[in-house]
Amino acid sequence: VQLQASGGGFVQAGDSLRLSCVASQRTRVAMGWFRQAPGKEREFVAASSWSGAFTRYGDFVKGRFTISTDNAKNAVYLQMNSLKPEDTAVYYCAASPRFGRAESDYVDWGQGTQVTVSS
């Protein structure tokens, strides 16, 4: 499965961004978002089944981010609100044959999109 992520950018603290990821096919069970800040390990952000019936989030999200899917477009989105400087990272979308939160659960990865939040 090929994944194409987009939507990153440079924003101010408190702003919102919506990331998009288009998959070449919907053969995996779940889609997820991870992020990696400079000098840090990649961390789980959110995951969703293609139906949207099952979602899960990283502990740090605390209601600020929402993952959603659009089956007609083979797309998954990450709506990020109330952005903070510590949200600055490269965000990756990924696809998994199981509904997991570990990086090792995901077998297909997009190229990443940079999100920079200025204070």
Side-chain angles (χ1 to χ4, degrees):
V1 177
Q2 295 182 335
L3 305 173
Q4 181 70 41
S6 62
F10 184 97
V11 297
Q12 301 292 321
D15 284 352
S16 298
L17 270 180
R18 189 178 83 153
L19 305 183
S20 301
C21 177
V22 177
S24 59
Q25 51 190 317
R26 287 188 288 114
T27 55
R28 303 300 186 192
V29 168
M31 296 294 293
W33 287 97
F34 287 77
R35 70 182 188 181
Q36 188 167 22
K40 295 187 177 181
E41 294 184 352
R42 195 173 296 187
E43 68 175 336
F44 173 76
V45 178
S48 176
S49 59
W50 274 112
S51 69
F54 300 99
T55 60
R56 62 195 314 177
Y57 293 91
D59 294 339
F60 70 90
V61 170
K62 301 187 187 300
R64 297 186 299 125
F65 298 176
T66 302
I67 189 170
S68 60
T69 58
D70 184 337
N71 286 4
K73 297 180 179 180
N74 283 5
V76 58
Y77 305 102
L78 185 68
Q79 177 67 43
M80 304 187 294
N81 299 327
S82 302
L83 283 162
K84 305 174 182 179
E86 51 263 45
D87 294 319
T88 295
V90 177
Y91 284 72
Y92 298 89
C93 66
S96 174
R98 50 189 170 276
F99 191 59
R101 58 186 296 149
E103 190 175 344
S104 59
D105 289 327
Y106 291 77
V107 297
D108 307 298
W109 291 83
Q111 83 285 7
T113 184
Q114 176 71 47
V115 171
T116 303
V117 184
S118 172
S119 58

